[in-house]
């Protein structure tokens, strides 16, 4: 069986060094429990900007606090190829574990320079980056902080635990993105969110049933006290901004792990045999006998934009 650990604990917001240290501690504990895969939520490194749904002056021109928040968000974003990225790979390699990691990402020059991507990284146990996906469309207020990605990372990675794929948040309501991933022959799909609310639960079960795969939805528990100091006083310190809700659905769409808002740290589970997937594909295979390539065609442009 494949052992998975889901991280609901937040990072240290906008502090790369402290967040990497927290990640190392979480991987140490997960690997000590025999976990094969550890999954972190949307933009975990260095913080999903959940304050955008609460800060009243979010869209006001020249708001000084908003400019400072943007600067923190931008400057703490991961740069692939940097010392921090190398440190990240070293931490993963030291624990010999697969990692699914949401992050804020930026590039230093060329196309995309000056903005921040909402990215999702898949690492192998040797610390190698297996897949690099950038969220196709930032959701609503995220457009103030994230730029559009591309379909380069819409693929599944072969592993001893099956073919692993992942998407970010509301990409799960993009039918053609879903079909691209189904065509990639996923066995285990990771869906990363800020938190898993009712509509995200529905998306989890629908994706699992449609794709005949295991779906692991990852939410996060974040309190107002986790926010950067510049947001002090905007909301009470004990106010919950994100409430976790991580859950796991089997290939029939039924819960293997119902939504969990109680564990604010690590959630551990074991996935059943991959044989379950083949059994369920007897009745529905959207890239196989339930597809009509004679009347439908899908072309996905998987070129990296930058």
């Amino acid at each position: 069986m494949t052992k998975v650990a889901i991280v609901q604990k937040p990072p240290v917001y906008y502090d790369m060094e402290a967040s990497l240290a927290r990640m190392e501690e979480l991987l140490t504990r997960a690997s000590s429990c025999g976990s094969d895969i550890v999954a972190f939520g949307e933009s975990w490194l260095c913080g999903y900007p959940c304050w955008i749904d609460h800060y009243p002056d979010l869209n006001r021109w020249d708001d000084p606090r908003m400019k400072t928040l943007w600067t923190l968000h931008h400057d703490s974003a991961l740069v692939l190829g940097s010392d921090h990225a190398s440190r990240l790979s070293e931490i993963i390699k030291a624990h010999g574990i697969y990692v699914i990691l949401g992050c804020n990402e930026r590039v230093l020059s060329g196309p995309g320079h000056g903005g921040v991507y909402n990215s999702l990284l898949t690492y192998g146990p040797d610390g190698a980056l297996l897949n690099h996906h950038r969220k196709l469309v930032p959701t609503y207020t995220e457009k103030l902080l994230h730029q559009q990605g591309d379909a380069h990372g819409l693929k599944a990675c072969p592993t001893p635990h099956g073919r692993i794929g992942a998407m970010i948040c509301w990409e799960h309501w993009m039918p053609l993105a879903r079909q691209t991933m189904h065509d990639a022959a996923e066995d285990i799909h990771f869906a990363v969110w800020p938190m898993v609310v009712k509509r995200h639960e529905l998306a989890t079960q629908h994706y699992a049933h449609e794709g005949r795969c295991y779906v692991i939805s990852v939410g996060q528990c974040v309190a107002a006290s986790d926010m950067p100091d510049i947001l002090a006083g905007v909301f009470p310190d004990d106010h919950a901004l994100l409430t976790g809700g991580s859950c796991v659905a089997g290939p029939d769409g039924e819960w293997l792990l119902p939504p969990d808002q109680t564990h604010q740290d690590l959630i551990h589970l074991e996935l059943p045999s991959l044989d379950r997937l083949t059994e369920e594909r007897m009745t529905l295979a959207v890239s196989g006998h339930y597809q009509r390539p004679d009347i439908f065609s899908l072309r996905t442009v998987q070129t990296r934009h930058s």
Side-chain angles (χ1 to χ4, degrees):
M1 288 189 176
T2 297
K3 295 183 177 181
V4 178
I6 300 172
V7 176
Q8 294 209 134
K9 188 172 185 175
V12 180
Y13 263 73
Y14 302 141
D15 187 329
M16 178 64 74
E17 291 289 345
S19 292
L20 287 175
R22 179 167 293 181
M23 180 182 181
E24 185 169 21
E25 179 261 331
L26 290 164
L27 290 184
T28 298
R29 290 168 46 208
S31 60
S32 70
C33 294
S35 298
D36 301 299
I37 308 171
V38 179
F40 296 78
E42 182 174 3
S43 292
W44 190 90
L45 192 70
C46 281
Y48 177 79
C50 50
W51 50 266
I52 58 178
D53 294 322
H54 302 270
Y55 181 50
D57 294 319
L58 178 73
N59 63 347
R60 188 162 63 87
W61 279 99
D62 291 327
D63 178 66
R65 183 150 54 176
M66 184 61 197
K67 286 185 173 181
T68 299
L69 287 164
W70 159 253
T71 301
L72 292 170
H73 177 80
H74 175 275
D75 290 355
S76 65
L78 181 68
V79 177
L80 293 179
S82 67
D83 290 344
H84 285 136
S86 296
R87 174 66 182 141
L88 172 59
S89 292
E90 290 169 2
I91 291 170
I92 294 169
K93 182 178 180 179
H95 293 85
I97 201 165
Y98 285 90
V99 171
I100 312 297
L101 175 65
C103 71
N104 298 314
E105 180 211 352
R106 63 188 176 96
V107 296
L108 297 180
S109 63
H113 167 63
V116 176
Y117 294 103
N118 182 340
S119 296
L120 187 54
L121 310 176
T122 301
Y123 284 90
D126 59 353
L129 181 60
L130 302 179
N131 196 25
H132 173 202
H133 173 52
R134 289 170 172 165
K135 190 173 182 180
L136 299 172
V137 181
T139 304
Y140 195 45
T141 48
E142 291 173 5
K143 292 181 176 69
L144 288 171
L145 297 171
H146 287 134
Q147 57 191 353
Q148 289 190 331
D150 54 50
H152 179 76
L154 290 184
K155 60 186 70 171
C157 303
T159 78
H161 310 287
R163 294 178 62 82
I164 294 175
M167 290 200 304
I168 306 168
C169 200
W170 280 28
E171 290 181 327
H172 293 85
W173 283 297
M174 300 178 74
L176 303 185
R178 289 202 313 271
Q179 187 60 46
T180 298
M181 293 303 294
H182 297 329
D183 289 347
E186 292 175 293
D187 296 311
I188 305 173
H189 177 81
F190 288 87
V192 300
W193 316 82
M195 62 178 171
V196 183
V197 295
K198 187 64 178 179
R199 58 184 173 270
H200 304 157
E201 295 171 19
L202 294 172
T204 300
Q205 292 184 295
H206 176 268
Y207 194 102
H209 177 87
E210 181 179 78
R212 289 327 211 203
C213 58
Y214 294 113
V215 176
I216 298 168
S217 273
V218 185
Q220 305 169 64
C221 295
V222 177
S225 56
D226 295 312
M227 292 293 98
D229 291 342
I230 194 170
L231 284 169
V234 174
F235 14 61
D237 284 348
D238 60 350
H239 182 65
L241 302 181
L242 301 176
T243 56
S246 297
C247 49
V248 180
D252 56 357
E254 298 299 321
W255 290 129
L256 297 176
L257 173 71
D260 187 329
Q261 296 180 328
T262 60
H263 291 82
Q264 299 186 9
D265 195 25
L266 285 172
I267 301 172
H268 297 276
L269 70 140
E270 291 185 355
L271 295 180
S273 167
L274 295 181
D275 291 343
R276 282 279 327 273
L277 309 183
T278 304
E279 293 170 359
E280 296 300 331
R281 289 166 185 165
M282 180 178 70
T283 52
L284 177 65
V286 296
S287 294
H289 63 80
Y290 230 81
Q291 174 62 285
R292 288 291 306 275
D294 55 323
I295 58 175
F296 297 116
S297 63
L298 170 62
R299 174 177 173 264
T300 304
V301 179
Q302 294 188 283
T303 304
R304 173 105 296 165
H305 288 177
S306 64

